[in-house]
Amino acid sequence: MSKQPVLLSAHNPSAMTGPGNNTYLIVGTDGRAALIDAGVGHAQHLTELADRLSAERCELRHVLVTHGHADHASGGPALATQHPAAAFSKFPWPGVDDRYEVGWRALADGDTVSIGDEVLTALHTPGHSPDHLAFWIERTRTIFTGDLVIPGRSVMIHTSAGGSLAQYFASLERLLALDALVLLPAHGPRIDAPAEVLNGHLEHRRMRERQVLDALRAGRATVETMAESIYDGLEPALMPAARENVRAHLEKLQDEGLVVQHANRWHIV
Ligand SMILES: [Zn+2]
């Protein structure tokens, strides 16, 4: 029987990553191991990974990357140098993947990767980014959720870089339908009440949507003025992210025919 996934911090704390990204090491029964997400190549991450692999007497054979954002993928080349037997896999994102010089292997929705007796299934779950994958272990009903879920925080939807709020809603619904026991996110602590947290994220988005519509009704017509009214008191470093989220809501509402845009001003239909 395989062991519990081992949490290894990527050691990259910041306003956007919180205490830093989580990466997870899955140690197989056959001397092979897989790492979920590559981190950023921080020396301490590389050392802790190497120490753990040697303690477990196993070799890193797979690095499975949830998506192409730098805090998840940019550690690829450093890992590739230290672990030449490792294959690097992700859902393709043309124009982004080649920022990281590793030979990416393409994963599609439903593809499986075996590590010893553990089987991981890739779930294409776009929304936060177009290439986002979650990884599902049915045996333990565990999902590695990447950036789909951040306990106690709102997930960024990068509409100007391939994100889509409508897809994000669908991806959360898809995870909810799996009826998982544990979610292991790329930021924040492990989640032992998946349905509660997933429903919380869905409800949070619905609330933001109501706030965007209320701001429009109150005469706030630009992304900037809407973000200021909705995210009043937010740390200045996080305001660009807040504006991006407002934009994500407006684009979803526009696709649904509920709002229109003229120049940079938005109006309810
Ligand atoms: Zn991300």
Side-chain angles (χ1 to χ4, degrees):
M1 203 61 88
S2 296
K3 297 174 184 171
Q4 287 284 316
V6 177
L7 169 62
L8 296 172
S9 170
H11 295 289
N12 58 329
S14 75
M16 289 305 295
T17 62
N21 285 51
N22 301 330
T23 72
Y24 297 95
L25 184 67
I26 298 162
V27 174
T29 44
D30 58 351
R32 296 149 64 103
L35 186 68
I36 308 279
D37 271 347
V40 298
H42 192 284
Q44 204 173 338
H45 183 222
L46 295 169
T47 303
E48 286 168 9
L49 172 64
D51 288 351
R52 192 74 196 209
L53 288 166
S54 76
E56 302 282 355
R57 297 176 192 284
C58 63
E59 184 176 45
L60 188 66
R61 299 299 287 271
H62 290 281
V63 178
L64 306 173
V65 171
T66 58
H67 63 297
H69 291 157
D71 54 328
H72 302 259
S74 66
L79 288 169
T81 302
Q82 295 200 354
H83 304 281
F88 289 75
S89 307
K90 71 186 288 301
F91 190 97
W93 187 358
V96 170
D97 295 340
D98 54 13
R99 290 177 196 164
Y100 317 112
E101 287 186 16
V102 295
W104 292 111
R105 214 184 59 152
L107 280 179
D109 185 51
D111 282 353
T112 58
V113 176
S114 296
I115 299 107
D117 59 1
E118 207 72 286
V119 180
L120 287 98
T121 304
L123 308 174
H124 186 217
T125 40
H128 170 72
S129 65
D131 62 334
H132 195 283
L133 291 176
F135 294 98
W136 164 236
I137 300 179
E138 191 170 17
R139 183 181 71 80
T140 54
R141 308 199 75 73
T142 298
I143 314 173
F144 299 90
T145 49
D147 277 359
L148 288 177
V149 177
I150 304 179
R153 277 185 62 171
S154 172
V155 169
M156 174 92 186
I157 306 298
H158 305 260
T159 45
S160 53
S164 154
L165 192 56
Q167 288 180 342
Y168 180 65
F169 270 100
S171 292
L172 289 181
E173 297 279 8
R174 185 174 180 195
L175 297 194
L176 199 53
L178 288 172
D179 197 19
L181 286 176
V182 179
L183 306 183
L184 296 175
H187 303 275
R190 122 192 201 124
I191 296 163
D192 291 302
E196 193 180 304
V197 173
L198 289 167
N199 280 317
H201 275 54
L202 284 162
E203 183 44 44
H204 176 74
R205 291 293 163 172
R206 292 187 196 108
M207 177 198 75
R208 285 281 185 240
E209 188 163 295
R210 288 193 294 273
Q211 289 178 324
V212 167
L213 288 166
D214 287 346
L216 281 167
R217 285 191 198 99
R220 294 186 177 87
T222 65
V223 168
E224 288 71 21
T225 55
M226 280 182 258
E228 273 162 33
S229 71
I230 294 168
Y231 294 89
D232 189 26
L234 190 72
E235 262 183 72
L238 296 175
M239 272 317 276
R243 286 195 286 271
E244 189 78 348
N245 273 334
V246 169
R247 237 172 256 124
H249 280 282
L250 289 166
E251 285 184 14
K252 174 174 175 286
L253 292 166
Q254 185 178 40
D255 290 345
E256 293 166 353
L258 296 173
V259 303
V260 289
Q261 182 186 16
H262 297 295
N264 66 341
R265 299 180 68 79
W266 294 81
H267 307 276
I268 292 180
V269 173

